[in-house]
PDB file of all heavy atoms in Angstrom:
ATOM      1  N   GLY A 738       8.934  23.175 -19.591  1.00 98.00           N
ATOM      2  CA  GLY A 738       9.923  24.217 -19.740  1.00 98.00           C
ATOM      3  C   GLY A 738      11.263  23.542 -19.762  1.00 98.00           C
ATOM      4  O   GLY A 738      11.387  22.376 -19.584  1.00 98.00           O
ATOM      5  N   PRO A 739      12.282  24.384 -20.014  1.00 98.00           N
ATOM      6  CA  PRO A 739      13.625  23.798 -20.180  1.00 98.00           C
ATOM      7  C   PRO A 739      14.205  23.264 -18.893  1.00 98.00           C
ATOM      8  O   PRO A 739      13.825  23.676 -17.813  1.00 98.00           O
ATOM      9  CB  PRO A 739      14.460  24.975 -20.705  1.00 98.00           C
ATOM     10  CG  PRO A 739      13.756  26.177 -20.176  1.00 98.00           C
ATOM     11  CD  PRO A 739      12.290  25.807 -20.203  1.00 98.00           C
ATOM     12  N   CYS A 740      15.099  22.286 -19.041  1.00 98.00           N
ATOM     13  CA  CYS A 740      15.837  21.789 -17.870  1.00 98.00           C
ATOM     14  C   CYS A 740      16.467  23.019 -17.221  1.00 98.00           C
ATOM     15  O   CYS A 740      16.301  23.285 -16.028  1.00 98.00           O
ATOM     16  CB  CYS A 740      16.891  20.778 -18.328  1.00 98.00           C
ATOM     17  SG  CYS A 740      17.835  20.129 -16.933  1.00 98.00           S
ATOM     18  N   SER A 741      17.243  23.792 -18.022  1.00 98.00           N
ATOM     19  CA  SER A 741      17.914  24.993 -17.499  1.00 98.00           C
ATOM     20  C   SER A 741      17.586  26.217 -18.302  1.00 98.00           C
ATOM     21  O   SER A 741      17.403  26.144 -19.500  1.00 98.00           O
ATOM     22  CB  SER A 741      19.473  24.806 -17.600  1.00 98.00           C
ATOM     23  OG  SER A 741      19.854  23.606 -16.998  1.00 98.00           O
ATOM     24  N   ARG A 764       8.539  25.688 -16.073  1.00 98.00           N
ATOM     25  CA  ARG A 764       9.690  25.370 -15.210  1.00 98.00           C
ATOM     26  C   ARG A 764      10.945  25.844 -15.926  1.00 98.00           C
ATOM     27  O   ARG A 764      10.999  25.918 -17.163  1.00 98.00           O
ATOM     28  CB  ARG A 764       9.755  23.923 -14.917  1.00 98.00           C
ATOM     29  CG  ARG A 764       9.962  23.021 -16.130  1.00 98.00           C
ATOM     30  CD  ARG A 764      10.719  21.721 -15.873  1.00 98.00           C
ATOM     31  NE  ARG A 764      12.119  21.969 -15.738  1.00 98.00           N
ATOM     32  CZ  ARG A 764      12.961  21.186 -14.994  1.00 98.00           C
ATOM     33  NH1 ARG A 764      12.497  20.162 -14.306  1.00 98.00           N
ATOM     34  NH2 ARG A 764      14.279  21.468 -14.954  1.00 98.00           N
ATOM     35  N   GLY A 766      15.333  25.570 -14.687  1.00 98.00           N
ATOM     36  CA  GLY A 766      16.307  25.542 -13.624  1.00 98.00           C
ATOM     37  C   GLY A 766      17.317  26.677 -13.731  1.00 98.00           C
ATOM     38  O   GLY A 766      17.788  26.980 -14.856  1.00 98.00           O
ATOM     39  N   LYS A 769      21.457  24.390 -10.898  1.00 94.00           N
ATOM     40  CA  LYS A 769      21.336  23.005 -11.328  1.00 94.00           C
ATOM     41  C   LYS A 769      22.235  22.098 -10.488  1.00 94.00           C
ATOM     42  O   LYS A 769      23.448  22.252 -10.467  1.00 94.00           O
ATOM     43  CB  LYS A 769      21.767  22.836 -12.792  1.00 94.00           C
ATOM     44  CG  LYS A 769      21.026  23.652 -13.801  1.00 94.00           C
ATOM     45  CD  LYS A 769      19.547  23.356 -13.809  1.00 94.00           C
ATOM     46  CE  LYS A 769      19.239  21.897 -14.098  1.00 94.00           C
ATOM     47  NZ  LYS A 769      17.786  21.623 -13.971  1.00 94.00           N
ATOM     48  N   PRO A 770      21.606  21.152  -9.765  1.00 88.00           N
ATOM     49  CA  PRO A 770      22.412  20.223  -8.987  1.00 88.00           C
ATOM     50  C   PRO A 770      22.979  19.161  -9.925  1.00 88.00           C
ATOM     51  O   PRO A 770      22.239  18.383 -10.519  1.00 88.00           O
ATOM     52  CB  PRO A 770      21.396  19.626  -8.013  1.00 88.00           C
ATOM     53  CG  PRO A 770      20.116  19.687  -8.803  1.00 88.00           C
ATOM     54  CD  PRO A 770      20.205  20.789  -9.753  1.00 88.00           C
ATOM     55  N   ARG A 771      24.275  19.115 -10.109  1.00 84.00           N
ATOM     56  CA  ARG A 771      24.827  18.055 -10.980  1.00 84.00           C
ATOM     57  C   ARG A 771      25.548  17.082 -10.073  1.00 84.00           C
ATOM     58  O   ARG A 771      26.258  17.502  -9.142  1.00 84.00           O
ATOM     59  CB  ARG A 771      25.800  18.692 -11.993  1.00 84.00           C
ATOM     60  CG  ARG A 771      25.167  19.827 -12.814  1.00 84.00           C
ATOM     61  CD  ARG A 771      23.746  19.567 -13.248  1.00 84.00           C
ATOM     62  NE  ARG A 771      23.626  18.456 -14.175  1.00 84.00           N
ATOM     63  CZ  ARG A 771      23.671  18.608 -15.471  1.00 84.00           C
ATOM     64  NH1 ARG A 771      23.710  19.794 -16.044  1.00 84.00           N
ATOM     65  NH2 ARG A 771      23.602  17.554 -16.284  1.00 84.00           N
ATOM     66  N   GLU A 802      14.028  25.482  -9.280  1.00 98.00           N
ATOM     67  CA  GLU A 802      14.463  24.640  -8.211  1.00 98.00           C
ATOM     68  C   GLU A 802      15.193  25.445  -7.161  1.00 98.00           C
ATOM     69  O   GLU A 802      16.021  26.310  -7.510  1.00 98.00           O
ATOM     70  CB  GLU A 802      15.371  23.501  -8.736  1.00 98.00           C
ATOM     71  CG  GLU A 802      16.007  22.659  -7.622  1.00 98.00           C
ATOM     72  CD  GLU A 802      16.757  21.464  -8.113  1.00 98.00           C
ATOM     73  OE1 GLU A 802      16.646  21.103  -9.281  1.00 98.00           O
ATOM     74  OE2 GLU A 802      17.428  20.814  -7.252  1.00 98.00           O
ATOM     75  N   TRP A 821      10.542  24.229  -6.662  1.00 98.00           N
ATOM     76  CA  TRP A 821      10.545  22.818  -6.374  1.00 98.00           C
ATOM     77  C   TRP A 821      11.859  22.382  -5.698  1.00 98.00           C
ATOM     78  O   TRP A 821      12.861  23.076  -5.816  1.00 98.00           O
ATOM     79  CB  TRP A 821      10.299  21.946  -7.625  1.00 98.00           C
ATOM     80  CG  TRP A 821      11.438  21.727  -8.545  1.00 98.00           C
ATOM     81  CD1 TRP A 821      12.384  20.770  -8.507  1.00 98.00           C
ATOM     82  CD2 TRP A 821      11.711  22.522  -9.777  1.00 98.00           C
ATOM     83  NE1 TRP A 821      13.238  20.885  -9.586  1.00 98.00           N
ATOM     84  CE2 TRP A 821      12.847  21.911 -10.371  1.00 98.00           C
ATOM     85  CE3 TRP A 821      11.090  23.572 -10.373  1.00 98.00           C
ATOM     86  CZ2 TRP A 821      13.404  22.419 -11.552  1.00 98.00           C
ATOM     87  CZ3 TRP A 821      11.653  24.087 -11.588  1.00 98.00           C
ATOM     88  CH2 TRP A 821      12.806  23.484 -12.127  1.00 98.00           C
ATOM     89  N   ARG A 825      18.053  15.465  -5.253  1.00 97.00           N
ATOM     90  CA  ARG A 825      19.289  15.386  -4.434  1.00 97.00           C
ATOM     91  C   ARG A 825      19.167  16.205  -3.188  1.00 97.00           C
ATOM     92  O   ARG A 825      20.031  16.110  -2.295  1.00 97.00           O
ATOM     93  CB  ARG A 825      20.435  15.868  -5.308  1.00 97.00           C
ATOM     94  CG  ARG A 825      20.789  14.871  -6.428  1.00 97.00           C
ATOM     95  CD  ARG A 825      21.680  15.552  -7.473  1.00 97.00           C
ATOM     96  NE  ARG A 825      21.709  14.791  -8.688  1.00 97.00           N
ATOM     97  CZ  ARG A 825      20.691  14.803  -9.601  1.00 97.00           C
ATOM     98  NH1 ARG A 825      19.610  15.554  -9.376  1.00 97.00           N
ATOM     99  NH2 ARG A 825      20.760  14.085 -10.706  1.00 97.00           N
ATOM    100  N   LYS A 850      10.167  16.872  -5.074  1.00 98.00           N
ATOM    101  CA  LYS A 850      10.551  15.656  -5.865  1.00 98.00           C
ATOM    102  C   LYS A 850      10.843  14.523  -4.935  1.00 98.00           C
ATOM    103  O   LYS A 850      11.302  14.700  -3.816  1.00 98.00           O
ATOM    104  CB  LYS A 850      11.752  15.976  -6.780  1.00 98.00           C
ATOM    105  CG  LYS A 850      11.403  16.864  -7.956  1.00 98.00           C
ATOM    106  CD  LYS A 850      12.430  16.733  -9.039  1.00 98.00           C
ATOM    107  CE  LYS A 850      11.971  17.377 -10.339  1.00 98.00           C
ATOM    108  NZ  LYS A 850      12.765  16.955 -11.464  1.00 98.00           N
ATOM    109  N   ARG A 891      16.472   6.097 -17.045  1.00 97.00           N
ATOM    110  CA  ARG A 891      17.548   6.801 -16.384  1.00 97.00           C
ATOM    111  C   ARG A 891      17.337   6.695 -14.848  1.00 97.00           C
ATOM    112  O   ARG A 891      18.272   6.494 -14.075  1.00 97.00           O
ATOM    113  CB  ARG A 891      17.509   8.284 -16.813  1.00 97.00           C
ATOM    114  CG  ARG A 891      18.517   9.151 -16.087  1.00 97.00           C
ATOM    115  CD  ARG A 891      18.440  10.596 -16.627  1.00 97.00           C
ATOM    116  NE  ARG A 891      19.325  11.469 -15.896  1.00 97.00           N
ATOM    117  CZ  ARG A 891      19.229  12.799 -15.960  1.00 97.00           C
ATOM    118  NH1 ARG A 891      18.309  13.363 -16.676  1.00 97.00           N
ATOM    119  NH2 ARG A 891      20.099  13.541 -15.270  1.00 97.00           N
ATOM    120  N   ASP A 914       7.093  13.108 -13.565  1.00 98.00           N
ATOM    121  CA  ASP A 914       8.148  13.741 -14.341  1.00 98.00           C
ATOM    122  C   ASP A 914       8.761  12.626 -15.310  1.00 98.00           C
ATOM    123  O   ASP A 914       9.725  11.999 -14.962  1.00 98.00           O
ATOM    124  CB  ASP A 914       9.212  14.317 -13.445  1.00 98.00           C
ATOM    125  CG  ASP A 914      10.468  14.834 -14.117  1.00 98.00           C
ATOM    126  OD1 ASP A 914      10.639  14.577 -15.338  1.00 98.00           O
ATOM    127  OD2 ASP A 914      11.274  15.504 -13.456  1.00 98.00           O
ATOM    128  N   SER A 916      10.360  12.967 -17.938  1.00 98.00           N
ATOM    129  CA  SER A 916      11.624  13.343 -18.590  1.00 98.00           C
ATOM    130  C   SER A 916      12.781  12.757 -17.782  1.00 98.00           C
ATOM    131  O   SER A 916      13.669  12.106 -18.335  1.00 98.00           O
ATOM    132  CB  SER A 916      11.776  14.862 -18.601  1.00 98.00           C
ATOM    133  OG  SER A 916      10.647  15.420 -19.280  1.00 98.00           O
ATOM    134  N   HIS A 917      12.777  12.954 -16.414  1.00 98.00           N
ATOM    135  CA  HIS A 917      13.872  12.452 -15.651  1.00 98.00           C
ATOM    136  C   HIS A 917      13.805  10.960 -15.391  1.00 98.00           C
ATOM    137  O   HIS A 917      14.818  10.306 -15.088  1.00 98.00           O
ATOM    138  CB  HIS A 917      14.048  13.254 -14.328  1.00 98.00           C
ATOM    139  CG  HIS A 917      14.531  14.662 -14.574  1.00 98.00           C
ATOM    140  ND1 HIS A 917      13.672  15.667 -14.805  1.00 98.00           N
ATOM    141  CD2 HIS A 917      15.754  15.186 -14.687  1.00 98.00           C
ATOM    142  CE1 HIS A 917      14.360  16.771 -15.024  1.00 98.00           C
ATOM    143  NE2 HIS A 917      15.604  16.506 -14.975  1.00 98.00           N
ATOM    144  N   GLU A 943      10.167  18.253 -19.517  1.00 98.00           N
ATOM    145  CA  GLU A 943      11.148  19.214 -19.965  1.00 98.00           C
ATOM    146  C   GLU A 943      11.016  19.507 -21.484  1.00 98.00           C
ATOM    147  O   GLU A 943      10.914  18.565 -22.275  1.00 98.00           O
ATOM    148  CB  GLU A 943      12.587  18.684 -19.695  1.00 98.00           C
ATOM    149  CG  GLU A 943      12.897  18.784 -18.201  1.00 98.00           C
ATOM    150  CD  GLU A 943      14.373  18.438 -17.896  1.00 98.00           C
ATOM    151  OE1 GLU A 943      15.071  17.846 -18.717  1.00 98.00           O
ATOM    152  OE2 GLU A 943      14.776  18.801 -16.785  1.00 98.00           O
ATOM    153  N   SER A 953      21.889  21.151 -20.689  1.00 95.00           N
ATOM    154  CA  SER A 953      21.753  20.043 -19.725  1.00 95.00           C
ATOM    155  C   SER A 953      20.579  19.174 -20.164  1.00 95.00           C
ATOM    156  O   SER A 953      19.627  19.690 -20.748  1.00 95.00           O
ATOM    157  CB  SER A 953      21.518  20.580 -18.306  1.00 95.00           C
ATOM    158  OG  SER A 953      20.327  21.368 -18.251  1.00 95.00           O
ATOM    159  N   ASP A 954      20.706  17.858 -19.882  1.00 96.00           N
ATOM    160  CA  ASP A 954      19.611  16.925 -20.202  1.00 96.00           C
ATOM    161  C   ASP A 954      19.077  17.057 -21.648  1.00 96.00           C
ATOM    162  O   ASP A 954      17.865  17.032 -21.916  1.00 96.00           O
ATOM    163  CB  ASP A 954      18.436  17.086 -19.220  1.00 96.00           C
ATOM    164  CG  ASP A 954      18.799  16.587 -17.811  1.00 96.00           C
ATOM    165  OD1 ASP A 954      19.877  15.910 -17.685  1.00 96.00           O
ATOM    166  OD2 ASP A 954      18.039  16.821 -16.855  1.00 96.00           O
ATOM    167  N   ALA A 955      20.038  17.132 -22.582  1.00 97.00           N
ATOM    168  CA  ALA A 955      19.667  17.290 -24.002  1.00 97.00           C
ATOM    169  C   ALA A 955      18.850  16.104 -24.554  1.00 97.00           C
ATOM    170  O   ALA A 955      17.898  16.278 -25.308  1.00 97.00           O
ATOM    171  CB  ALA A 955      20.919  17.474 -24.855  1.00 97.00           C
ATOM    172  N   GLN A 957      16.709  14.168 -23.242  1.00 98.00           N
ATOM    173  CA  GLN A 957      15.306  13.889 -22.780  1.00 98.00           C
ATOM    174  C   GLN A 957      14.353  15.001 -23.080  1.00 98.00           C
ATOM    175  O   GLN A 957      13.134  14.861 -22.879  1.00 98.00           O
ATOM    176  CB  GLN A 957      15.293  13.543 -21.284  1.00 98.00           C
ATOM    177  CG  GLN A 957      15.644  14.767 -20.423  1.00 98.00           C
ATOM    178  CD  GLN A 957      15.977  14.348 -18.944  1.00 98.00           C
ATOM    179  OE1 GLN A 957      16.516  13.266 -18.747  1.00 98.00           O
ATOM    180  NE2 GLN A 957      15.690  15.223 -18.015  1.00 98.00           N
ATOM    181  N   GLN A 958      14.878  16.162 -23.555  1.00 98.00           N
ATOM    182  CA  GLN A 958      13.948  17.293 -23.755  1.00 98.00           C
ATOM    183  C   GLN A 958      13.253  17.190 -25.091  1.00 98.00           C
ATOM    184  O   GLN A 958      13.775  16.594 -26.067  1.00 98.00           O
ATOM    185  CB  GLN A 958      14.722  18.610 -23.677  1.00 98.00           C
ATOM    186  CG  GLN A 958      15.437  18.757 -22.324  1.00 98.00           C
ATOM    187  CD  GLN A 958      15.690  20.188 -21.904  1.00 98.00           C
ATOM    188  OE1 GLN A 958      14.824  21.007 -21.835  1.00 98.00           O
ATOM    189  NE2 GLN A 958      16.965  20.479 -21.656  1.00 98.00           N
TER     190      GLN A 958
HETATM  191 MN1   MN B1637      16.783  18.224 -16.041  1.00 74.92          MN
END
Side-chain angles (χ1 to χ4, degrees):
C740 180
S741 306
R764 61 151 283 152
K769 300 302 300 175
R771 308 317 295 266
E802 172 170 351
W821 78 86
R825 292 164 196 75
K850 286 199 169 198
R891 177 179 176 194
D914 172 349
S916 307
H917 290 90
E943 284 189 343
S953 59
D954 290 350
Q957 70 196 29
Q958 302 204 56

